[in-house]
Amino acid sequence: MHPKKICSDMAFLGSPLILDGNDLYIENPENVYPELEAFVQSYKKRIIRYLKGEYSDHEHNVKQTIDKIINYFMGIDQEMNPKIDDWFNHDWDAAIKAARLLVLFWENGWRDLNSSVANFEDEETDQLSLEIYERAMSYFKGKKA
């Protein structure tokens, strides 16, 4: 989910997200359920980058693509799965890179497989994510031509 959407939804609930240096706070946390607080916490690094103006739309497109690939590997039903399946069947190297990315997230501490990988990203995962994204875009644009 885009950090902008998370921020606007929280503000709509009367609990805007406040950035204080590198710390993120929920104003009026009594207005939100603990599950929503946990959700915000799971995207904390991305939200902080967004609030600092360091999170671009291109970066979001890369991370959103990776989120869809992770959902594919997790067996979560999504409209995109047949396309991802077709891509991996034709680009084995991309599938290997995606599997390597999951290992890197695991090595960075991602254990709750039902939560976002947002807080477990680093330079290495960002670089590999970009490589995977570029392969995906190249494949899907080539299919349309």
Side-chain angles (χ1 to χ4, degrees):
M1 178 176 281
H2 198 295
K4 177 169 68 174
K5 174 79 169 129
I6 296 169
C7 290
S8 67
D9 288 353
M10 293 297 291
F12 178 78
L13 294 172
S15 296
L17 299 176
I18 307 299
L19 183 63
D20 183 13
N22 285 324
D23 290 324
L24 185 67
Y25 297 97
I26 299 175
E27 192 172 298
N28 305 317
E30 65 276 4
N31 292 348
V32 297
Y33 290 106
E35 295 83 4
L36 189 52
E37 284 185 59
F39 177 78
V40 167
Q41 182 66 27
S42 74
Y43 283 90
K44 182 178 178 178
K45 284 177 69 176
R46 289 185 194 173
I47 294 168
I48 289 172
R49 286 184 42 76
Y50 169 75
L51 291 173
K52 287 182 171 183
E54 300 171 353
Y55 190 85
S56 68
D57 286 339
H58 181 263
E59 181 178 357
H60 178 69
N61 291 340
V62 171
K63 295 187 183 301
Q64 184 179 45
T65 299
I66 297 304
D67 289 344
K68 289 177 182 178
I69 291 168
I70 290 170
N71 288 344
Y72 167 84
F73 276 117
M74 298 291 295
I76 296 171
D77 189 33
Q78 55 187 356
E79 185 177 313
M80 192 72 180
N81 283 355
K83 293 178 182 179
I84 295 171
D85 194 47
D86 178 63
W87 168 44
F88 283 159
N89 282 319
H90 289 92
D91 187 355
W92 184 246
D93 287 339
I96 296 295
K97 286 179 182 285
R100 173 70 185 136
L101 183 61
L102 293 176
V103 169
L104 289 174
F105 287 136
W106 182 265
E107 289 173 353
N108 290 347
W110 181 55
R111 297 294 185 271
D112 180 359
L113 303 182
N114 294 314
S115 70
S116 171
V117 296
N119 291 333
F120 305 99
E121 298 163 335
D122 61 18
E123 285 185 36
E124 189 175 8
T125 63
D126 286 348
Q127 179 58 42
L128 189 53
S129 294
L130 182 58
E131 291 174 24
I132 293 165
Y133 172 80
E134 288 172 350
R135 289 183 81 104
M137 294 305 104
S138 176
Y139 180 79
F140 291 119
K141 287 179 182 176
K143 293 282 285 189
K144 292 178 185 175

